[in-house]
Amino acid sequence: MKTGYEFRPKILGFLCNWCCYAGADLCGISRFQYPPYMKVVRLMCSGRVDPLFIFRSFLNGMDGVFIGGCWPGECHYSTEGNYDALTKKYIYKKLLEHIGINPERLRLEWVSASEGIRFAEVMNDFSQKLIKMGPIGKAEGLTDDELKSRLDVASSLVPYLKLVEREKIRVRFKTEKEYDEYFNSDEFSKLFNEMIAEKVTTGQLIASLRKQDHSIDEITRELKLDRSVVIKQLHASVRQGFISFDEDNKRYCVGS
């Protein structure tokens, strides 16, 4: 007989109406078994999953976010929304990793309306991986306040992130392999660091300093960032007027 606490992950699933949702429905009708951990949001297209949905899901205690769409080439819309979802997957998994959250908590899969058994297999696999990871935040070594602060910063930057995605990052390839090669390339890493990572780090710095004035070493410890990165972003934020430096106390603060 088992005793004690048994972790049961909470999952929010965003399912494409035409394929994955129908596949999930077939899974239920066929009585294929998978853990009852997921709550479902039905969308017309996987490409309609706003990044804010992802961050708010984690802010509201979800341990995993699942996006299910049509197989490439089978999207019901001429804009091929599932490729937009694929782009988002790469960008926001990398962003989650940047703020210290396991990127594997976000998962995108293709499931057709006839693949009830595949839906069950995917959900069983995702559930087991989340169980091994543990609860969000605690598994990453973050307190509840640290987790909330990091996700709040990411959420606040969503309008900017959408602009960067649309103007600088959006690509259109014909195969998943091409997407994988591009988003794992040095070209994308450089673009991500310059356009997104630095902005997120600045947001984290300002959020930390709004709570309390800090020295460089205190910020480095709190945000668990490399000291050189902290110094670079602090100097840039001072030049831009976002924060100021108190010469008497040798501490950075928000405001003059």
Side-chain angles (χ1 to χ4, degrees):
M1 179 177 177
K2 292 184 178 180
T3 59
Y5 170 72
E6 183 179 347
F7 172 58
R8 296 183 177 183
K10 290 178 284 186
I11 306 171
L12 188 61
F14 297 97
L15 309 187
C16 153
N17 173 72
W18 304 103
C19 286
C20 193
Y21 186 85
D25 191 40
L26 178 62
C27 177
I29 292 171
S30 304
R31 299 186 182 279
F32 297 131
Q33 298 297 306
Y34 66 92
Y37 302 145
M38 185 171 73
K39 295 181 179 179
V40 171
V41 176
R42 184 179 186 179
L43 298 171
M44 296 308 290
C45 179
S46 57
R48 297 297 293 170
V49 178
D50 192 287
L52 196 57
F53 298 171
I54 298 170
F55 298 128
R56 283 185 175 174
S57 297
F58 290 129
L59 274 168
N60 282 282
M62 294 296 130
D63 298 293
V65 173
F66 175 78
I67 302 172
C70 305
W71 284 90
E74 297 180 9
C75 182
H76 284 58
Y77 301 97
S78 60
T79 52
E80 296 182 306
N82 50 2
Y83 283 119
D84 291 335
L86 189 58
T87 295
K88 289 186 178 76
K89 180 196 81 168
Y90 285 108
I91 295 172
Y92 294 105
K93 281 175 75 100
K94 195 170 183 69
L95 178 52
L96 287 170
E97 184 177 20
H98 180 72
I99 63 175
I101 296 172
N102 192 325
E104 297 307 308
R105 293 186 183 279
L106 174 62
R107 183 160 175 171
L108 170 68
E109 292 284 353
W110 314 127
V111 179
S112 75
S114 63
E115 293 182 308
I117 185 65
R118 172 171 166 75
F119 181 82
E121 290 171 348
V122 167
M123 295 316 304
N124 276 306
D125 182 67
F126 191 33
S127 298
Q128 287 302 311
K129 287 181 177 177
L130 288 172
I131 288 171
K132 289 180 181 178
M133 286 182 213
I136 188 169
K138 292 180 182 178
E140 284 84 358
L142 302 174
T143 65
D144 290 344
D145 287 342
E146 286 173 333
L147 177 65
K148 183 178 184 304
S149 177
R150 295 180 185 207
L151 289 169
D152 278 338
V153 168
S155 297
S156 70
L157 290 172
V158 163
Y160 169 77
L161 297 172
K162 287 181 178 178
L163 180 64
V164 170
E165 180 190 342
R166 183 173 66 248
E167 301 295 332
K168 300 292 185 179
I169 298 178
R170 182 161 293 181
V171 290
R172 184 66 74 195
F173 298 119
K174 294 183 178 180
T175 66
E176 287 188 78
K177 182 180 179 182
E178 289 176 293
Y179 278 90
D180 187 67
E181 288 174 349
Y182 173 74
F183 283 106
N184 285 291
S185 68
D186 292 339
E187 178 187 354
F188 174 69
S189 292
K190 182 180 179 182
L191 187 60
F192 179 88
N193 290 333
E194 291 176 353
M195 301 298 297
I196 297 178
E198 291 186 2
K199 197 80 170 178
V200 172
T201 300
T202 298
Q204 289 180 283
L205 290 173
I206 293 173
S208 177
L209 293 173
R210 281 202 178 108
K211 294 184 290 184
Q212 184 179 347
D213 298 351
H214 285 309
S215 67
I216 291 176
D217 289 336
E218 289 169 338
I219 294 171
T220 300
R221 286 195 299 272
E222 179 177 334
L223 299 183
K224 298 180 177 67
L225 294 172
D226 187 270
R227 197 171 192 275
S228 62
V229 172
V230 170
I231 292 173
K232 177 183 176 182
Q233 293 304 113
L234 282 171
H235 289 174
S237 298
V238 169
R239 287 196 305 270
Q240 295 168 16
F242 296 142
I243 62 175
S244 58
F245 182 63
D246 185 338
E247 290 284 355
D248 295 331
N249 297 312
K250 304 300 180 184
R251 299 169 85 80
Y252 288 87
C253 58
V254 174
S256 57

